[in-house]
Amino acid sequence: MLRTASCSASLTSASPFFRHFPLSYSSLSSSTGALRAPGRNLRRVASPASTGRRVFLRRGLRVPSTAGRGVNRQLSRLSVRAVATQPAPSYPDVGQDEAEKLGFEKVSEEFISECKSKATLFKHKKTGCEVMSVSNEDENKVFGIVLRTPPKDSTGIPHILEHSVLCGSRKYPLKEPFVELLKGSLHTFLNAFTYPDRTCYPVASTNTKDFYNLVDVYLDAVFFPKCVDDVHTFQQEGWHYELNDPSEDISYKGVVFNEMKGVYSQPDNILGRIAQQANNTYGVDSGGDPKDIPNLTFEEFKDFHRKYYHPSNARIWFYGDDDPLQRLRILSEYLDMFEASPSRDTSKIEPQRLFSEPIRIVEKYPAGRDGDLKKKNMVCINWLLSEKPLDLETQLALGFLDHLMLGTPASPLRKILLESGLGEALVSSGMSDELLQPQFSVGMKGVSEDNVQKVEELIMSTLKKLAEEGFESDAVEASMNTIEFSLRENNTGSFPRGLSLMLQSIAKWIYDMDPFEPLKYTEPLKALKARIAEEGSKAVFSPLIEQFILNNSHRVTIEMQPDPEKASQEEAEEKSILEKVKAGMTEEDLAELARATEELRLKQETPDPPEALRCVPSLNLSDIPKEPTYVPTEVGDINGVKVLRHDLFTNDIVYAEVVFDMGSLKHELLPLVPLFCQSLLEMGTKDLSFVQLNQLIGRKTGGISVYPLTSSVRGKDEPCSKIIVRGKSMAGRADDLFNLMNCLLQEVQFTDQQRFKQFVSQSIARMENRLRGSGHGVAAARMDAMLNIAGWMSEQMGGLSYLEFLRTLEKKVDEDWEGISSSLEEIRRSLLAKNGCIVNMTADGKSLTNIEKSLEKFLDLLPENPSGGLVTWDGRLPLRNEAIVIPTQVNYVGKAGNIYSTGYELDGSAYVISKHISNTWLWDRVRVSGGAYGGFCDFDSHSGVFSFLSYRDPNLLKTLDIYDGTGDFLRGLDVDQETLTKAIIGTIGDVDSYQLPDAKGYSSLMRHLLGVTDEERLRKREEILTTSLKDFKDFAEAIDVVRDNGVAVAVASAEDIDAANNARSNFFEVKKAL
Ligand SMILES: [Zn+2]
């Protein structure tokens, strides 16, 4: 697989929960979203996991908290195109009469120049259901239905319902239509999410027929789900007692139950939850607290659906280039079946009154026994900013302020906190306004007990100082440019633009405010800019800091203390509850429970009958284009350096990647590479402080990032190992972009010991978070490191080995800074050279020609050859089964092997088969009956490694047994032509996944680096399209190698690992990590 250093976003309480788990291997953003090898995207994030983090500037001004990483991830996500100059094009219109005939009334209509769309708000006359119908030229069509679903307690009703309604409905009476769509549609987005006060069901596709299929399945699911008549779905997705045999212990099972156990194993999430101190619906957890979930009854669950899943309480969004009249036709068929209900009033969210006094809360969180617990406190201050909704300009100004204070490593509040040395890293900080009332929070983790108070004081004094002194004008300019650039770029990565607009609009609309308003940011932005120009930035921002933060008595301070006993205590509590339950049961009860457990399992494991499967609409193979999408690519040469050019319309933006080879890097320097990359961006030169350098990047470009990339190359022993410098700017500023890249690469000095020390402690905090939140990624990296060289390299730079390295390095920074500094210098010398360098550029033809001179100048300044001779990479971790101990309530379980070692030769059918294994065998066994939040497999066609992984899994050995049964599953498989066709179409949907222009250019670069030609892509596509049942059976032989010679790695709790080693005589080598 392709690997880049990527940080995973953590879910905080204000962010939604997803039906299908968001994998955190890559992110949604443009910088990594395109990081997929041709033909596979198994580790793609399926949802906007990270959108919960900084959600202030809905209007598209999503400003990142960690923009220092250059091409910034968050910023690019939810933005709106800022092109307002063209005249309104005409889109098919729905006349008042036509709307009336279908039962709708046209409420209002506007052309929205920001997104070049005509938007019409309709109201369904009978039920009052509101519909936003947005028409434009975007082929990536989006539909979403959103219901207001405020919970009264933390039993997780809205979340469990969100999972359950997609488990069969009136028209689609099979186990999981959702999974059938995952398998066999061309969707560009398919998921569902639960917010603290609403539930969203969005789908997207570029194929109109496919799109309407998806819409129909979703509408039927929402309004007519089977789950309200079938307690089994509630038990499966929510919770139930499991008892296999009356002699055994009872346990809790349920997908949401285990998903939430995972959430509650992460201290950042616990902190976010406690921060929601409110008497209204936000004071409880819509996702469900694992302690409360078992209090939920089926009656309450059904009642919640009856109450809130009604057209009168629904808001529906359509977006794209399809026929707007057809949208109303589809909707009227559903909506006409209902009468008006009072649900719209009963679901109203009451605002929280602001506190008159600040409050302080001290809580404990589950920590490991290792490490210095004294230094593991967390502290965070939160403000609820206002009782009433804010006007647009104030909101924009607050978002701007947020970016100024925290948006980049050079932003003062962030910088001062990190430089204070009082803590390791910031906890999720910033403005957030996706809910009724906006909030601001800031805090640190990795704080020693005696420093907690000091962090609080430093936050307050810094805010005071910022109010008194204002911001540097360069900083204001940099923030303004960053925001405007992102608006123009409107780069939502692999997330559909229409969905990002929907989420912006709904964040007001859901509170009965104007759905158009959040889409129209041009005027208020202009006004804000004018005010800053006239009155100065201080006059604009200082009063905001005073009014909303300093003089705001609604301040909630939270301190969290590590508790090494808490994880086992919670486990013991759960056990004792379950023991009591069992003790209260008669023999007949127990027999009945065992029977019910068996009944549920049987039901889960019985496949849907073919006639039920057939009712889910699907495309035909004839609907599928026979050829892959080709990216225009011209390979040339400038001063001996290979240059790839992609002539694509990019709205006047230039995207450039400069790739250097790691072939001369000394082995022992490898784990320093990620910190080397960070140092380039965040250390400064002889003439420029890092703050100045950062501001320059913000003022002149759209961002620059530097990161390593490693992958196996099929048929070669040597891995591909590169450092990529990635940047973007307006075409007219390409010269600045290349000058700045040159400055970073050649002039940055590795002299700032204190900053370097911060990087190390931040990286430790990030890795520890990754272990808890994305243990499957850590396990996968570990297995790859045993199985191939590229995997080993990647693990050295981002896996458990890296964490171990960092912990040693932290001490070394004090003892031998000279040595480290010269090592960083040595890395630079071994990378920086024309020889081995490749440049990739994406822009329109004219810009590509215009920027040639700037590029030439940049390349001329590079040394001819790297210092040091070529090295051979050959590292691997010893092959063995490993269990990595962390304090957790749920596990991550992996097993992997190299199928090329059996002589298997790559065939396109492998993609179809591995997708099928994920969506059937693993989904059914690991998730549905096993109770894990997720289970999937991944086939890396470059290395041949086939891996199985589970996510938030209550089991361990049992899951490994399921993996081992895969070969037999394939051998026993009997699929009809329709199922096969579905699997093929779904695979093509992955291969053809929708890409914005920068992602197209980037994918093309990846293919170039990994030696994947267009001929090969065409051949693989043909193989995919002609996959047969025989291919499945043949694949069984290859996949047996995982069972027979594979390695297993689990990231799990001490208790579960002990139990596994007892049951299977020391199967795992145990390694402590947290
Ligand atoms: Zn969920």
Side-chain angles (χ1 to χ4, degrees), residues 17-20 159 162-163 255-256 259-260 927 933:
F17 300 97
F18 305 97
R19 181 171 206 276
H20 189 36
H159 186 187
E162 172 241 295
H163 278 240
V255 175
V256 167
E259 180 189 343
M260 295 315 294
R927 173 164 162 138
Y933 185 21

Side-chain angles (χ1 to χ4, degrees), residues 393-405 431 463 466-468 470-472 475-477 479-480 483 528-529 531-532 535-550:
E393 205 189 312
T394 310
Q395 271 193 45
L396 274 173
L398 281 172
F400 202 134
L401 172 66
D402 185 29
H403 189 250
L404 277 169
M405 294 197 294
M431 302 273 179
L463 288 165
L466 290 173
E468 279 159 17
F471 298 89
E472 289 173 40
V476 177
E477 196 193 317
S479 284
M480 184 55 87
I483 288 165
L528 179 65
K529 263 180 96 168
R531 264 188 66 208
I532 293 174
E535 303 167 30
S537 65
K538 189 169 172 238
V540 174
F541 297 118
S542 293
L544 294 178
I545 302 178
E546 275 159 15
Q547 180 194 342
F548 289 105
I549 303 176
L550 293 174

Side-chain angles (χ1 to χ4, degrees), residues 167-199:
C167 293
S169 62
R170 180 199 56 161
K171 263 166 99 173
Y172 307 107
L174 54 154
K175 287 196 292 186
E176 284 191 85
F178 178 79
V179 183
E180 294 310 308
L181 296 175
L182 270 187
K183 284 179 197 165
S185 76
L186 294 176
H187 62 268
T188 53
F189 190 90
L190 183 76
N191 214 330
F193 10 105
T194 306
Y195 283 74
D197 57 10
R198 56 188 176 270
T199 310

Side-chain angles (χ1 to χ4, degrees), residues 851-1033:
I851 57 184
E852 207 145 290
K853 273 218 167 59
S854 311
L855 175 61
E856 226 167 287
K857 207 169 65 192
F858 169 81
L859 292 175
D860 273 343
L861 292 170
L862 290 177
E864 203 62 39
N865 287 304
S867 78
L870 280 183
V871 297
T872 313
W873 292 103
D874 53 7
R876 298 219 188 163
L877 289 179
L879 274 174
R880 58 181 205 180
N881 300 323
E882 268 184 0
I884 299 165
V885 186
I886 64 166
T888 178
Q889 302 182 54
V890 279
N891 307 322
Y892 303 93
V893 185
K895 187 163 187 184
N898 192 326
I899 62 171
Y900 290 165
S901 68
T902 61
Y904 174 82
E905 280 189 32
L906 177 63
D907 183 278
S909 60
Y911 303 113
V912 183
I913 297 163
S914 64
K915 190 178 164 82
H916 190 74
I917 294 171
S918 278
N919 283 336
T920 57
W921 177 244
L922 298 176
W923 182 282
D924 290 344
R925 302 290 158 130
V926 178
R927 173 164 162 138
V928 175
S929 58
Y933 185 21
F936 64 102
C937 60
D938 184 31
F939 172 50
D940 177 359
S941 61
H942 305 290
S943 68
V945 171
F946 194 99
S947 30
F948 295 99
L949 291 160
S950 74
Y951 186 73
R952 295 184 183 165
D953 187 347
N955 305 308
L956 211 172
L957 291 177
K958 207 177 127 193
T959 301
L960 288 175
D961 292 342
I962 295 168
Y963 298 160
D964 286 346
T966 308
D968 289 338
F969 160 73
L970 289 177
R971 274 181 284 269
L973 196 65
D974 183 21
V975 288
D976 55 19
Q977 194 52 44
E978 278 168 65
T979 310
L980 197 55
T981 302
K982 242 187 215 176
I984 291 169
I985 289 171
T987 307
I988 292 288
D990 291 350
V991 175
D992 290 352
S993 64
Y994 186 77
Q995 291 190 316
L996 294 172
D998 67 311
K1000 284 185 182 156
Y1002 194 84
S1003 297
S1004 177
L1005 169 67
M1006 290 302 122
R1007 288 194 282 266
H1008 184 86
L1009 293 175
L1010 301 177
V1012 179
T1013 61
D1014 279 343
E1015 294 77 61
E1016 186 184 333
R1017 292 175 66 212
L1018 181 61
R1019 196 176 61 240
K1020 270 199 249 164
R1021 191 181 186 88
E1022 281 161 5
E1023 289 165 356
I1024 290 171
L1025 289 169
T1026 54
T1027 301
S1028 68
L1029 183 57
K1030 182 174 178 301
D1031 293 319
F1032 281 77
K1033 309 262 173 188

Side-chain angles (χ1 to χ4, degrees), residues 38 93 226 295 318 338 343 403 426 449 459 469 516 567 582 616 681 711 727 734 813 851 856 936-937:
D93 201 10
K226 281 195 317 177
N295 295 326
F318 266 105
F338 291 85
S343 53
H403 189 250
L426 296 194
E449 226 175 291
I459 291 172
E469 296 173 7
F516 296 90
K582 192 174 179 191
V616 174
L681 291 163
S711 172
V813 183
I851 57 184
E856 226 167 287
F936 64 102
C937 60

